[in-house]
């Protein structure tokens, strides 16, 4: 839609102004009352009055074809609208102007006349310094176009343009940027910024900073960088507030990643110093906060000490960032010393300072210090926040002191605190961990009676607690209450119930539940599908698990390497080696890359079949892909080599495990002891047994049996009987075959005696 109104309609407006002899008076009035100079824009307004009557008459018959409100076009708009507009311009009376709603004006007189009238008023108000009024008028127009879903580009050009393309108003341009930015129309605002550059207009730093701040808040990282760089190149020159916005931007991890970009922050600070701008306390606070979020807490603390020695003003925000950083690292005591230093320097702590420390001490288990800080706050006439008390409740609940937590909770309610969902959630979880489901459920009901609607997190936590204790039916009751309350379950909620069904081997009900959730628009996560597949594979039903893959794909849930690993393991156990390999090949065809778990399953398969060459090749392939073999991978290989009697390779793998700080399991030791015992190397077997004892590992019946028979083979009957007695003393019931052999030994010893 072309927004540049026809010259006829413009002439019509100013012909009326001319007839009423008001335009010149308006400009003169502006000059007298507002101390304004006679700008080129005002002069151009006067030029419009030199219009012939014949042209004026033709203009009134022009058909406004490009107007979306053409049906509302008035044949003679001047009879009502123009005198009203002239009055606004003559008096500069906002009460009169505010009655001119843009939407109504469009409806009565058409879009072109409405835009012409409003543009004139906007530019005159801008000349008179009536910025708030200009903001309101521009907001009316932008709001109308946005609601009508009309293109903005031509409108913005039109609003910036003055009559006959004369001198444009930088005031209008600056305010237009603010209007667009405040309405989240950030790309349009940036377009206006660049248009102003093309027109040669000098923009104000305030409007540019406002736009920059809005772009940061909207996470528009690339646009933030573009605007900042353009300001440095062509102006307006960044000031301390501009640099502070950019430091905040890089400190909050909004520059394209989640981490603080300390290097870029340092570059911005360096640019700031070079430009002659001095950082203020807000800038310093943002920098310190960014350093702490990046983990450079010690550096931030040293910076605070340095600035304090230079008598730089520091506020509580600077100290709070360091205190929080130390508490996050578990150094609550050191944070308390910084807190005391802050008070000694005359910086008064706020509620947030105390809340950080209380949380830090409660998380580290020092509940007494947390309580003392609460009392200190009350002594300083600082009312502890609900967040402070929540940290305290969380600390007592974590350590099982639910009676104390409940007492604090009751005193809070008595003191007038309105406990929120987080407080209730902390207490409910505490009771669930203790197995006190009656108290947990009573609190849940109390929360509802208090007018709080539990959110999905509250419901899910309660269900999770019940499922962990094997109370699935109780969890299902909570689910029904959740659905009746209109709270939509999340994928996490779905996972909880599915896992609960699977733990009770109710796989069919789990699948039915997943279908119900899918019909409600809740997509079961991969975790839910994997839980069902795992249960099916355990129930000697891996073929059904394999068929479930098709349903997953139909519902746009794509199996991952964990899914295939579970099925592969199931097939290997119940259908044998060849069918398991078919699953593996199918996985490779769809582009799923094996992980450590998958490789471990495969290595175990080949090792179990004594195909050690293939098993070891897979082991090397895994390492070649940058994956780190786990204990299971090493143990499977060690077991395989021990089985085929290659104890040299088994021993080398064991040594590599130790070098890589991987702790061998009882199974690892059992394989090695069995392998060396079969070769008669009881010295190495006994060394491994001693190592297990040093690590206080629990011996299995299998290890004792291996040692018993090894000593028998070597004719060391006394040592065999010692192993038998130790087995009994550890409370392990010896196998029947071992008992029979011991009886035979006893009889033999009697006969020999």
């Amino acid at each position: 839609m072309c927004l540049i109104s026809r010259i006829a309609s413009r002439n019509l407006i100013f012909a009326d102004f001319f007839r009423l002899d008001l335009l010149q008076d308006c400009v003169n009035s502006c000059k007298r009352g507002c101390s304004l100079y006679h700008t080129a824009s005002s002069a151009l307004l006067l030029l419009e009055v030199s219009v012939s009557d014949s042209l004026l008459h033709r203009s009134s018959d022009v058909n406004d074809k490009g107007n979306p409100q053409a049906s509302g076009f008035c044949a003679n708009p001047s009879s009502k609208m123009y005198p009203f507009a002239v009055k606004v311009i003559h008096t500069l009376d906002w009460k009169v102007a505010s009655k001119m709603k843009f939407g109504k004006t469009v409806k009565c007189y058409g879009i072109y006349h409405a835009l012409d009238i409003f543009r004139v008023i906007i530019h005159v108000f801008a000349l008179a310094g009536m910025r708030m009024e200009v903001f309101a008028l521009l907001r009316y127009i932008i709001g109308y176009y946005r609601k009508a879903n009309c293109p903005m580009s031509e409108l913005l050009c039109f609003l910036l343009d003055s009559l006959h393309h004369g001198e444009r108003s930088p005031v209008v341009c600056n305010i237009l940027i603010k209007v667009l930015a405040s309405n989240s129309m950030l790309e349009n605002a940036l377009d206006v910024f660049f248009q102003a550059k093309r027109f040669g207009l000098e923009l104000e730093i305030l409007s540019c900073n406002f736009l920059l701040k809005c772009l940061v808040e909207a996470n528009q990282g690339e646009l933030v960088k573009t605007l900042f760089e353009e300001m440095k190149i062509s102006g307006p020159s960044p000031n301390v507030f501009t640099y502070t916005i950019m430091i905040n931007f890089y400190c909050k991890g909004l520059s394209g990643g989640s981490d603080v970009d300390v290097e870029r922050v340092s570059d911005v600070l360096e640019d700031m110093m070079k430009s002659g701008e001095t950082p203020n306390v807000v800038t310093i606070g943002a920098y310190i906060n960014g350093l702490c979020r990046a983990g450079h807490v010690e550096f931030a603390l040293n910076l605070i000490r340095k600035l304090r020695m230079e008598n730089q003003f520091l506020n509580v925000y600077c100290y709070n960032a360091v205190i929080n950083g130390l508490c996050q690292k578990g150094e609550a005591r050191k944070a308390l010393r910084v807190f005391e230093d802050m008070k000694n320097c005359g910086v008064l702590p706020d509620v947030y300072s105390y809340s950080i420390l209380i949380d830090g001490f409660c998380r580290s288990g020092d509940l007494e210090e947390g309580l003392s800080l609460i009392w200190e706050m009350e002594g300083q006439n600082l009312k502890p926040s609900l967040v402070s008390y929540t940290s305290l409740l969380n600390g007592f609940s974590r350590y099982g002191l639910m009676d104390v937590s409940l007492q604090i909770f009751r005193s809070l309610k008595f003191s007038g605190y309105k406990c929120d969902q987080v407080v209730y959630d902390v207490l409910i979880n505490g009771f669930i961990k203790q197995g006190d489901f009656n108290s947990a459920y009573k609190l849940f009901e109390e929360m509802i009676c208090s007018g709080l609607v539990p959110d999905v997190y509250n419901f899910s936590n309660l269900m999770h607690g019940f499922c962990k204790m094997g109370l699935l039916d109780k969890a299902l009751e909570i689910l029904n209450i959740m659905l009746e309350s209109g709270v939509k379950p999340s994928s996490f909620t779905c996972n909880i119930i599915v896992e609960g069904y699977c733990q009770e081997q109710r796989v069919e009900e789990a699948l039915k539940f997943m279908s119900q959730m899918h019909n409600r628009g809740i997509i079961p996560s991969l975790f839910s599908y994997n839980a069902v597949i795992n249960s099916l594979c355990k129930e000697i039903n891996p073929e059904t698990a394999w068929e479930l893959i098709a349903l997953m794909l139909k519902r746009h849930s794509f199996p991952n390497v964990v899914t295939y690993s579970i099925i592969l393991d199931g097939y290997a156990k119940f259908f044998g080696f060849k069918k398991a390999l078919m699953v593996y090949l199918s996985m490779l065809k769809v582009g799923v890359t094996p992980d450590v778990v998958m490789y471990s399953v495969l290595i175990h398969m080949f090792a179990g079949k004594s195909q050690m060459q293939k098993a070891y090749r897979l082991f090397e392939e895994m390492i070649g892909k940058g994956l780190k073999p786990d204990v299971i991978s090493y143990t499977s290989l060690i077991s395989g080599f021990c089985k085929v009697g290659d104890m040299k390779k088994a021993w080398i793998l064991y040594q590599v495990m130790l070098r890589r700080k991987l702790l061998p399991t009882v199974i690892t030791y059992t394989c090695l002891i069995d392998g060396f015992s079969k070769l008669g190397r009881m010295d190495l077997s006994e060394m491994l047994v001693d190592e297990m004892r040093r690590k206080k590992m629990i011996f299995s019946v299998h290890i004792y049996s291996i040692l018993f028979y090894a000593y028998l083979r070597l004719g060391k009957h006394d040592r065999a009987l010692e192993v038998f007695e130790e087995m009994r003393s550890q409370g392990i019931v010896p196998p029947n075959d071992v008992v029979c052999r011991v009886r035979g030994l006893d009889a033999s010893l009697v006969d020999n005696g």
Side-chain angles (χ1 to χ4, degrees), residues 54-235:
S54 60
L55 183 56
L56 292 176
H57 290 303
R58 285 198 302 274
S59 69
S60 65
D61 296 326
V62 172
N63 181 21
D64 208 353
K65 292 178 181 176
N67 178 16
Q69 302 286 349
S71 59
F73 185 83
C74 181
N76 189 12
S78 62
S79 60
K80 292 182 179 179
M81 190 60 203
Y82 296 152
F84 189 74
V86 168
K87 183 180 179 183
V88 170
I89 293 172
H90 184 62
T91 62
L92 301 179
D93 190 338
W94 173 244
K95 289 183 179 179
V96 178
S98 62
K99 295 176 183 177
M100 296 172 58
K101 302 298 181 186
F102 186 74
K104 287 184 179 180
T105 308
V106 171
K107 190 174 181 181
C108 292
Y109 307 111
I111 191 74
Y112 295 128
H113 289 303
L115 283 172
D116 269 327
I117 292 164
F118 269 75
R119 182 175 65 169
V120 170
I121 295 170
I122 284 167
H123 279 264
V124 170
F125 277 9
L127 280 170
M130 300 168 67
R131 287 174 170 259
M132 291 180 65
E133 290 79 2
V134 172
F135 186 94
L137 291 172
L138 287 171
R139 188 177 58 191
Y140 292 154
I141 299 170
I142 297 298
Y144 175 85
Y145 264 76
R146 196 177 190 184
K147 189 175 180 181
N149 201 24
C150 297
M152 287 284 174
S153 55
E154 293 185 15
L155 170 67
L156 300 178
C157 290
F158 179 78
L159 290 173
L160 290 175
D161 204 3
S162 61
L163 299 174
H164 287 319
H165 312 292
E167 184 177 342
R168 295 170 177 86
S169 170
V171 175
V172 173
C173 190
N174 281 298
I175 296 172
L176 185 55
I177 287 173
K178 288 184 178 180
V179 170
L180 292 166
S182 62
N183 282 279
S184 301
M185 301 169 70
L186 301 175
E187 290 188 8
N188 294 121
L190 203 57
D191 286 343
V192 172
F193 173 86
F194 283 109
Q195 282 189 47
K197 294 293 175 186
R198 287 196 295 273
F199 295 154
L201 297 177
E202 290 187 12
L203 292 171
E204 297 169 356
I205 190 64
L206 285 174
S207 59
C208 294
N209 282 349
F210 182 74
L211 175 55
L212 191 68
K213 181 173 174 288
C214 290
L215 287 169
V216 169
E217 290 170 353
N219 294 339
Q220 296 289 333
E222 291 305 316
L223 297 183
V224 170
K225 295 174 193 175
T226 300
L227 179 58
F228 180 62
E229 291 302 320
E230 189 62 34
M231 287 172 68
K232 288 199 295 182
I233 294 167
S234 61

Side-chain angles (χ1 to χ4, degrees), residues 384-400:
S385 68
L386 191 61
V387 174
S388 309
Y389 279 112
T390 303
S391 297
L392 204 61
L393 289 170
N394 201 17
F396 282 109
S397 299
R398 189 184 293 120
Y399 288 93

Side-chain angles (χ1 to χ4, degrees), residues 484-729:
E484 288 169 6
S485 302
V487 178
K488 186 178 179 181
S490 65
S491 293
F492 177 64
T493 317
C494 188
N495 293 344
I496 292 166
I497 300 299
V498 169
E499 191 175 23
Y501 275 124
C502 291
Q503 284 173 353
E504 297 188 5
Q505 301 302 313
R506 295 159 65 178
V507 180
E508 287 186 10
E509 289 173 85
L511 285 168
K512 185 179 177 182
F513 171 76
M514 288 169 69
S515 295
Q516 290 172 350
M517 291 297 103
H518 190 273
N519 293 336
R520 288 177 177 269
I522 302 153
I523 309 300
S525 71
L526 200 55
F527 179 89
S528 294
Y529 283 107
N530 286 346
V532 171
I533 287 169
N534 191 43
S535 291
L536 287 168
C537 289
K538 284 180 179 177
E539 289 182 357
I540 321 178
N541 205 357
E543 284 185 322
T544 306
W546 181 252
E547 290 168 5
L548 195 57
I549 297 286
L551 179 64
M552 291 176 67
L553 294 172
K554 185 179 178 181
R555 291 179 176 174
H556 303 289
S557 184
F558 300 100
N560 63 2
V561 67
V562 177
T563 316
Y564 284 105
S565 295
I566 296 167
I567 296 174
L568 179 69
D569 191 48
Y571 267 77
K573 286 176 181 175
F574 299 114
F575 297 130
F577 187 72
K578 289 184 179 179
K579 282 198 172 184
L581 277 179
M582 287 172 63
V583 173
Y584 175 65
L585 294 172
S586 298
M587 182 194 79
L588 294 178
K589 282 181 182 178
V590 295
V592 177
T593 305
D595 64 354
V596 173
V597 176
M598 174 65 81
Y599 274 112
S600 296
V601 172
L602 290 166
I603 289 167
H604 184 72
M605 279 171 47
F606 282 110
K609 291 288 181 179
S610 299
Q611 297 185 25
M612 296 312 299
Q613 190 175 356
K614 291 181 179 178
Y616 196 74
R617 193 183 301 142
L618 282 167
F619 181 78
E620 289 178 324
E621 182 183 309
M622 173 168 51
I623 295 171
K625 289 183 177 179
L627 298 172
K628 294 181 179 179
D630 58 9
V631 175
I632 297 171
S633 309
Y634 279 102
T635 301
S636 296
L637 277 175
I638 290 169
S639 173
F641 282 121
C642 290
K643 188 177 177 182
V644 298
D646 193 344
M647 294 308 298
K648 184 178 180 181
K649 285 184 179 176
W651 185 252
I652 290 169
L653 285 166
Y654 170 71
Q655 295 296 324
V656 172
M657 273 186 83
L658 297 178
R659 284 200 299 271
R660 294 188 177 176
K661 309 296 183 185
L662 290 172
L663 297 176
T665 64
V666 173
I667 297 171
T668 317
Y669 282 110
T670 302
C671 294
L672 288 166
I673 291 168
D674 186 44
F676 285 122
S677 297
K678 284 176 180 176
L679 295 177
R681 292 295 306 270
M682 295 309 294
D683 55 334
L684 292 174
S685 292
E686 288 171 356
M687 184 187 73
L688 290 166
V689 167
D690 290 340
E691 192 173 311
M692 288 182 72
R693 287 198 175 105
R694 283 196 303 274
K695 293 179 178 178
K696 297 181 179 179
M697 298 178 79
I698 298 172
F699 283 54
S700 67
V701 66
H702 190 45
I703 290 178
Y704 282 116
S705 298
I706 290 167
L707 292 170
F708 177 81
Y709 281 109
Y711 285 124
L712 281 183
R713 285 194 300 271
L714 294 171
K716 296 182 178 181
H717 296 168
D718 291 344
R719 290 289 291 125
L721 287 173
E722 286 176 13
V723 170
F724 177 76
E725 291 302 326
E726 184 183 329
M727 181 165 35
R728 287 174 55 181
S729 69

Side-chain angles (χ1 to χ4, degrees), residues 717 721 737-751:
H717 296 168
L721 287 173
D737 60 318
V738 173
V739 173
C740 291
R741 292 300 297 269
V742 169
R743 285 173 182 168
L745 281 174
D746 288 341
S748 174
L749 289 171
V750 170
D751 291 341

Side-chain angles (χ1 to χ4, degrees), residues 327-341:
C327 286
Q328 291 298 320
K329 290 173 67 179
E331 299 180 32
R333 284 287 159 196
K334 192 171 183 179
L336 184 61
R337 289 196 293 272
V338 175
F339 178 79
E340 295 299 334
D341 286 346

